[in-house]
């Protein structure tokens, strides 16, 4: 199962309790998912478990957490599975925050990140203080409290500050990862998720930018508008499939996000001056 976070949560509000504004989103779920999840996370996340556990499946190892841990993940794609807790229950709170929130946090508390290390995955042990903060955030979902999002932000700041004081080296490395990759954030999101981008609207949705902001960012990164970039990337993917697989032209058109084979052929011929089939035949002869 593939989930694009936090978009999936916003599109399935009936499955989650949500507290949010334009800077931060906090969701609570009691629904256990049996399958291993492929998470496409377009912002950063703090995972706060109330009941049950999660296992993060990395390339060379697994990281398992439960209600004695907190897990920070910087933006990226991850495999994860969930673990049933006490009395077959499951309950978790996910806090999503963007680059701007992190930079404002650093500025707000005059924090100096004096490390060259970078950590994109950071599990930390919880203690009584962290558990109290998480318990308070949990209460905001149980009661209709005015200004709950501002109260959540205060608690998140407390958790960040406490994590920094408890393990300065590791948490500073997590903050540094976000600092060092800010300028390439949009580039990473788009290029890592090209297989699910079929339109400029998809690009806006994934990057959480409006069309005007996306155009500005694409011109900065690639000196192209979003549609030009998307057309080029889809055709480059098609070329890779033509060279290295036995997929049919129809299958390649579909996997590259084209609504019809005929449109794919027209676009391919416009760019490469030949049909996909002729391109494949020429490459086989070379």
């Amino acid at each position: 199962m593939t989930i694009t976070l936090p978009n999936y949560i916003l599109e399935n509000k009936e499955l989650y309790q949500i507290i949010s504004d334009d800077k931060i989103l906090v969701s609570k779920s009691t629904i256990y998912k049996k399958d291993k999840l492929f998470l496409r996370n377009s912002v950063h996340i703090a995972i706060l478990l109330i009941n049950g556990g999660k296992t993060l499946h990395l390339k060379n190892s697994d990281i398992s957490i439960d209600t004695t841990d907190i897990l920070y993940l910087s933006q990226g794609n991850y495999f994860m599975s969930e673990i049933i807790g006490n009395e077959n229950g499951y309950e978790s709170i996910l806090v999503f925050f963007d680059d701007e929130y992190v930079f404002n946090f650093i500025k707000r508390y005059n924090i100096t990140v004096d490390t060259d290390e970078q950590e994109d995955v950071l599990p930390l042990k919880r203690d009584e203080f962290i558990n109290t903060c998480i318990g308070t955030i949990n209460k905001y979902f149980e009661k209709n409290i005015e200004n709950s999002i501002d109260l959540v932000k205060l608690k998140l700041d407390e958790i960040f500050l406490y994590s920094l004081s408890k393990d300065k080296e590791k948490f500073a490395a997590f903050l540094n990862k976000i600092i060092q990759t800010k300028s390439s954030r949009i580039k990473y999101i788009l290029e890592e998720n090209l297989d699910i981008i079929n339109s400029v609207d998809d690009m806006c949705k994934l990057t959480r930018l409006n069309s005007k902001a996306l155009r500005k960012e694409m011109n900065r990164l690639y000196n192209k508008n979003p549609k030009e970039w998307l057309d080029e990337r889809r055709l480059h993917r098609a070329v890779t499939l033509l060279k290295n697989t036995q997929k049919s032209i129809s299958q390649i058109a579909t996997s590259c996000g084209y609504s019809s084979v005929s449109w794919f052929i027209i676009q391919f011929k416009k760019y490469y001056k030949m049909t996909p089939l002729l391109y494949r035949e020429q490459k086989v002869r070379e």
Side-chain angles (χ1 to χ4, degrees):
M1 183 177 183
T2 299
I3 291 179
T4 303
L5 296 172
N7 297 11
Y8 176 84
I9 290 172
L10 292 170
E11 293 165 359
N12 295 275
K13 292 182 179 180
E14 71 280 2
L15 303 178
Y16 298 87
Q17 291 176 267
I18 298 173
I19 301 172
S20 67
D21 64 8
D22 60 339
K23 302 300 178 195
I24 186 171
L25 185 148
V26 188
S27 70
K28 180 180 177 182
S29 173
T30 57
I31 299 173
Y32 165 69
K33 299 179 182 67
K34 294 181 180 179
D35 301 324
K36 183 186 290 188
L37 308 175
F38 180 49
L39 304 180
R40 302 175 185 263
N41 189 29
S42 59
V43 289
H44 317 296
I45 182 172
I47 299 176
L48 317 174
L49 291 166
I50 308 298
N51 189 13
K54 287 180 179 284
T55 298
L56 181 67
H57 305 282
L58 302 175
K59 185 175 181 180
N60 298 315
S61 63
D62 289 346
I63 295 176
S64 294
I65 63 166
D66 55 27
T67 56
T68 65
D69 306 286
I70 181 171
L71 180 64
Y72 295 103
L73 295 176
S74 66
Q75 172 265 321
N77 294 342
Y78 303 95
F79 282 101
M80 188 173 288
S81 52
E82 298 177 344
I83 302 167
I84 284 287
N86 297 331
E87 299 178 356
N88 289 324
Y90 178 82
E91 197 170 355
S92 70
I93 294 174
L94 307 179
V95 184
F96 300 93
F97 50 96
D98 60 11
D99 288 343
E100 186 175 350
Y101 188 89
V102 171
F103 279 83
N104 286 340
F105 167 78
I106 291 170
K107 182 178 179 180
R108 190 159 51 244
Y109 298 103
N110 196 28
I111 293 168
T112 301
V113 179
D114 52 358
T115 180
D116 294 326
E117 298 297 318
Q118 297 181 31
E119 291 281 356
D120 53 357
V121 176
L122 178 60
L124 292 178
K125 282 296 176 184
R126 283 157 48 171
D127 59 15
E128 185 177 351
F129 180 85
I130 296 290
N131 287 336
T132 299
C133 289
I134 294 172
T136 302
I137 293 173
N138 194 28
K139 284 186 172 66
Y140 298 149
F141 288 101
E142 298 171 355
K143 298 180 179 180
N144 186 18
I145 301 175
E146 189 175 357
N147 299 322
S148 59
I149 187 62
D150 295 317
L151 293 170
V152 168
K153 287 178 181 178
L154 288 173
K155 284 300 166 188
L156 184 59
D157 278 5
E158 283 188 55
I159 292 173
F160 277 13
L161 288 168
Y162 191 73
S163 296
L164 190 61
S165 66
K166 187 177 180 183
D167 200 327
K168 184 175 181 179
E169 184 177 343
K170 287 185 177 180
F171 195 72
F174 174 73
L175 295 178
N176 191 43
K177 173 67 176 182
I178 296 171
I179 293 169
Q180 297 302 322
T181 55
K182 180 180 184 295
S183 63
S184 59
R185 180 83 56 228
I186 301 304
K187 183 176 182 180
Y188 179 87
I189 291 172
L190 292 174
E191 294 186 355
E192 286 296 305
N193 296 287
L194 184 61
D195 59 313
I196 60 169
I197 297 174
N198 296 316
S199 67
V200 174
D201 284 343
D202 289 341
M203 295 169 69
C204 290
K205 185 177 175 182
L206 270 173
T207 59
R208 305 176 67 79
L209 296 175
N210 60 39
S211 57
K212 183 178 180 180
L214 178 64
R215 176 178 286 269
K216 181 179 179 181
E217 191 66 12
M218 296 303 287
N219 280 328
R220 180 185 73 84
L221 289 169
Y222 301 101
N223 197 29
K224 291 181 173 64
N225 67 46
K227 188 178 184 308
E228 288 172 340
W229 178 90
L230 179 57
D231 288 343
E232 185 178 280
R233 286 299 189 279
R234 289 161 77 183
L235 289 170
H236 284 177
R237 175 170 167 76
V239 162
T240 299
L241 294 174
L242 286 166
K243 287 180 178 178
N244 300 297
T245 75
Q246 297 302 313
K247 286 186 175 183
S248 69
I249 303 302
S250 176
Q251 289 173 324
I252 290 174
T254 299
S255 65
C256 292
Y258 289 92
S259 57
S260 70
V261 180
S262 59
W263 181 242
F264 166 59
I265 293 172
I266 289 170
Q267 292 298 102
F268 191 95
K269 191 173 180 180
K270 180 180 177 181
Y271 196 85
Y272 289 104
K273 311 304 180 187
M274 66 182 75
T275 66
L277 184 58
L278 182 57
Y279 183 94
R280 171 177 272 172
E281 290 173 350
Q282 285 192 0
K283 292 301 173 184
V284 169
R285 290 197 297 267
E286 289 178 358

